[in-house]
C-alpha cells in the first residue's frame, strides 16, 4: 500500500484560518513537506507549526530565488523525497500557504506525483479572499466580475485585465509595486485600490494604494481594486 499525498491549504497567515480538516491532517500525517523560499524560514510551516507534532519527518523543498532552473530542480528533488515516503506507505501532508491550487507551490509537486500516487487537495483561505475582510469592503457582488492576475505580467497584459472587470486582485506585487501603482493611477483607479501586506498576520499593513510609497513591497503583498458601486 502506498501513502496518500495531501495538498493542504494553510490559509493566509493566521493559524486560526486553517480549516479543521487541514489541522487534523497535518497532525495525523507521519510526514510533513513544505517549500522554503531562499533562506527565509517556510511561511507555510510557520502557519501550521502548532499542529505539527514533535519528531515528525519533515521534507523541506528549498526553492532558490530568481533561478528558474534551480526551482525546477528543487521541485524534482522534493517530489523524489515525497515519492520515497509515499512508496513506503506513509501519508504526506504538503503544506501550502493560501489555497494550494491558486498559484500554490503545491501545484508543482502535484504535477510531478499525481500520476503515480493518490492525491487529495484540501482547499485553504486564499490571500485574495482574506483581503476584502481586511479592507472592510466587498470585492464583488451581484453580477460584478473579478479578475485575478499576477503583478509579474507586462503592462499591456495588466492593462487589459484591469480594464475587463469591476474588481481586480493582483498577487505577487513585490518589486513591481511602483509600476503597478503608476499603471493603476493612469487608469484613474487609484481611489478604488487597496494595498494589503502580510494579511491576517500581527505585522499586517492595510493602506489605500494612494498612500503607499512607490517602493518595492514585500513578497507577501496584494493589491485589490473594487470599483463597482455594490462592492464598496
Ligand atoms: C505563490 S502565490 C501563492 C498564493 C496562495 N496560494 C493564495 O491562495 O493566496 C504568492 C503570492 O500570494 C500573495 N499572498 C499570499 N499570502 C499573503 C498574505 N498573507 N498577505 C498578502 N499577500 C499574500 C502575495 O501576492 C504573494 O506574492
Amino acid at each position: 500500500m502506498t501513502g496518500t499525498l495531501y495538498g493542504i491549504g494553510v490559509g493566509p497567515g493566521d493559524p486560526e484560518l486553517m480549516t479543521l480538516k487541514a489541522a487534523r491532517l497535518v497532525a495525523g500525517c507521519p510526514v510533513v513537506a513544505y517549500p522554503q523560499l531562499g533562506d527565509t524560514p517556510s511561511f507555510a510551516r510557520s502557519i501550521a507549526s502548532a499542529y505539527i507534532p514533535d519528531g515528525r519527518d519533515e521534507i523541506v523543498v528549498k526553492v532558490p530565488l530568481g533561478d528558474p532552473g534551480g526551482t525546477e530542480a528543487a521541485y524534482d528533488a522534493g517530489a523524489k523525497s515525497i515519492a520515497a515516503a509515499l512508496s513506503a506507505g506513509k501519508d504526506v501532508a504538503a503544506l501550502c500557504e493560501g489555497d494550494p491550487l491558486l498559484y500554490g507551490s503545491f501545484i508543482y509537486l502535484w504535477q510531478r506525483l499525481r500520476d503515480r500516487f493518490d492525491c487529495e487537495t484540501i482547499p485553504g483561505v486564499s490571500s485574495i479572499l482574506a483581503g476584502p475582510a481586511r479592507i472592510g469592503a466587498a470585492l464583488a457582488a451581484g453580477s460584478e466580475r473579478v479578475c485575478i492576475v499576477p503583478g509579474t505580467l507586462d503592462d499591456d497584459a495588466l492593462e487589459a485585465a484591469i480594464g475587463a472587470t469591476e474588481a481586480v486582485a493582483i498577487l505577487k506585487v513585490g518589486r513591481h509595486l511602483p509600476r503597478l501603482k503608476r499603471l493603476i493611477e493612469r487608469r484613474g483607479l487609484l481611489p478604488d485600490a487597496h494595498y494589503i501586506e502580510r494579511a491576517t498576520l500581527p505585522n499586517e499593513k492595510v493602506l489605500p494604494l494612494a498612500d503607499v510609497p512607490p517602493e518595492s513591497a514585500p513578497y507577501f503583498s496584494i493589491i485589490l481594486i473594487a470599483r463597482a458601486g455594490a462592492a464598496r
Side-chain angles (χ1 to χ4, degrees):
M1 285 285 284
T2 56
T4 296
L5 174 63
Y6 293 99
I8 302 202
V10 298
D14 179 349
E16 290 193 353
L17 290 174
M18 277 179 66
T19 64
L20 296 174
K21 189 161 186 167
R24 175 175 63 74
L25 285 167
V26 171
C29 284
V31 181
V32 179
Y34 46 82
Q36 178 182 306
L37 296 184
D39 296 329
T40 314
S42 166
F43 184 35
R45 192 198 184 284
S46 73
I47 296 169
S49 61
Y51 301 105
I52 303 174
D54 289 342
R56 281 289 189 261
D57 281 351
E58 299 193 19
I59 296 171
V60 186
V61 182
K62 291 192 175 172
V63 182
L65 293 174
D67 172 9
T71 299
E72 288 297 309
Y75 284 113
D76 284 345
K80 197 171 166 193
S81 301
I82 292 171
L86 295 169
S87 298
K90 296 177 183 172
D91 291 340
V92 177
L95 311 180
C96 185
E97 48 90 15
D99 181 85
L101 297 181
L102 187 71
Y103 298 109
S105 55
F106 174 66
I107 296 169
Y108 307 112
L109 297 171
W110 182 60
Q111 286 169 336
R112 285 166 168 80
L113 296 164
R114 65 185 164 187
D115 292 341
R116 287 182 284 150
F117 299 99
D118 289 337
C119 297
E120 191 180 331
T121 304
I122 313 303
V125 177
S126 171
S127 55
I128 63 161
L129 299 178
R134 305 310 298 154
I135 63 178
L139 188 59
S143 55
E144 294 161 4
R145 300 155 298 169
V146 181
C147 175
I148 302 170
V149 279
T152 48
L153 293 180
D154 65 29
D155 282 8
D156 287 347
L158 279 167
E159 293 231 31
I162 287 173
T165 60
E166 289 83 4
V168 185
I170 306 177
L171 291 93
K172 304 185 186 184
V173 172
R175 67 190 168 83
H176 301 281
L177 176 70
R179 184 173 65 91
L180 295 169
K181 187 172 175 181
R182 276 198 306 275
L183 192 145
I184 289 166
E185 190 165 21
R186 211 161 53 227
R187 299 220 35 132
L189 295 172
L190 211 45
D192 299 317
H194 305 264
Y195 169 82
I196 305 142
E197 177 181 312
R198 300 190 178 92
T200 78
L201 289 164
N203 55 350
E204 170 189 87
K205 269 193 203 163
V206 181
L207 291 167
L209 184 60
D211 295 349
V212 180
E215 293 158 8
S216 187
Y219 179 69
F220 288 105
S221 55
I222 55 174
I223 292 171
L224 296 182
I225 303 172
R227 74 183 114 158
R232 287 174 204 235

